[in-house]
């Protein structure tokens, strides 16, 4: 959804509140494409601070379906994004790139709300997603989700020199259960 910012240029200090629904159904993250499970309208307060400069403040609430880093099951990850951006509408696209202040959500005098939220999501993605803290992951041989039960795979080391390490691993697992 696009917001025309030129309507705020009429006088300094003019402020307007926009409530925009998110159109995005998916989010392209660095590790894949995530489905948007839930989303609420984005509320933005945009204030003209003078000299074609705008202050954008607001919140966005949504939830992405992301795979667990251990077992690959989809997990609903909620986000409450606090948006605070200062926009200088007098700068050209080239000047923004040169100043290392790229704003892909600005095109002319239009603010693309979906791209603004995507930009905030990229910054706020979690380092690790787990379905639960004690997720057991998947079997490295058959791919079975070990949260649903054990598999019958032979976990014996192929290299006899690794047998000592396998014994230590078994002892550690028995102590943690």
């Amino acid at each position: 959804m696009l917001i025309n910012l030129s309507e705020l240029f009429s006088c300094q200090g003019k402020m307007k509140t926009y409530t925009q629904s998110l159109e995005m159904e998916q989010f392209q993250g660095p590790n894949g494409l995530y489905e948007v499970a839930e989303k609420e309208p984005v509320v933005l307060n945009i204030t003209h601070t003078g000299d074609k400069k705008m202050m954008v403040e607001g919140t966005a609430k949504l939830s992405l379906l992301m795979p667990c880093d251990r077992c690959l099951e989809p997990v609903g990850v909620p986000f409450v994004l606090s948006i605070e951006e200062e926009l200088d509408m007098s700068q050209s696209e080239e000047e923004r790139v040169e100043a290392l202040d790229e704003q892909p959500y600005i095109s002319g005098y239009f603010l693309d709300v979906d791209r603004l939220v995507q930009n905030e999501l990229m910054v706020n993605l979690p380092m690790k997603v787990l379905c639960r803290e004690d997720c057991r992951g998947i079997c490295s041989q058959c791919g079975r989700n070990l949260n649903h039960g054990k598999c019958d795979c032979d976990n014996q080391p192929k290299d006899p020199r690794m047998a000592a390490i396998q014994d230590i691993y078994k002892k550690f697992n028995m102590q943690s259960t």
Side-chain angles (χ1 to χ4, degrees):
M1 182 61 71
L2 296 176
I3 296 175
N4 186 352
L5 298 174
S6 63
E7 63 186 346
L8 295 172
F9 291 151
S10 61
C11 66
Q12 184 174 334
K14 186 172 182 178
M15 195 269 285
K16 187 169 180 182
T17 300
Y18 296 89
T19 303
Q20 301 289 320
S21 60
L22 283 175
E23 294 176 350
M24 72 174 169
E25 299 295 325
Q26 298 176 329
F27 170 69
Q28 179 65 51
N31 297 326
L33 192 64
Y34 309 121
E35 294 291 322
V36 177
E38 297 175 24
K39 56 188 173 181
E40 293 182 15
V42 179
V43 178
L44 296 175
N45 293 315
I46 304 176
T47 306
H48 181 216
T49 58
D51 296 328
K52 289 190 174 181
K53 292 184 181 177
M54 304 283 176
M55 185 61 168
V56 179
E57 300 173 315
T59 57
K61 295 179 184 178
L62 64 142
S63 178
L64 296 178
L65 283 179
M66 301 176 78
C68 174
D69 285 335
R70 292 185 188 157
C71 69
L72 304 177
E73 291 287 323
V75 179
V77 180
F79 291 91
V80 178
L81 304 172
S82 178
I83 300 168
E84 287 186 28
E85 294 288 330
E86 188 172 338
L87 309 175
D88 188 351
M89 303 306 293
S90 62
Q91 286 185 323
S92 67
E93 298 290 325
E94 295 80 25
E95 289 172 329
R96 285 188 187 117
V97 170
E98 191 174 301
L100 299 176
D101 189 24
E102 293 183 51
Q103 298 170 334
Y105 42 85
I106 296 292
S107 178
Y109 291 129
F110 290 94
L111 171 69
D112 187 337
V113 177
D114 280 14
R115 291 191 77 181
L116 176 64
V117 170
Q118 288 171 0
N119 193 57
E120 290 295 321
L121 269 174
M122 191 65 77
V123 173
N124 289 291
L125 284 176
M127 295 295 278
K128 183 173 230 164
V129 175
L130 296 177
C131 59
R132 58 184 200 216
E133 286 298 317
D134 62 341
C135 178
R136 300 186 82 121
I138 58 175
C139 174
S140 62
Q141 294 178 15
C142 68
R144 178 182 171 129
N145 186 337
L146 298 175
N147 294 318
H148 301 303
K150 293 187 177 194
C151 64
D152 297 327
C153 292
D154 181 20
N155 290 327
Q156 297 300 319
K158 306 293 185 227
D159 185 347
R161 296 173 289 183
M162 298 298 287
I165 294 174
Q166 184 68 26
D167 290 340
I168 293 170
Y169 179 74
K170 284 182 183 177
K171 286 179 187 176
F172 178 76
N173 276 344
M174 284 183 187
Q175 289 174 356
S176 64
T177 55

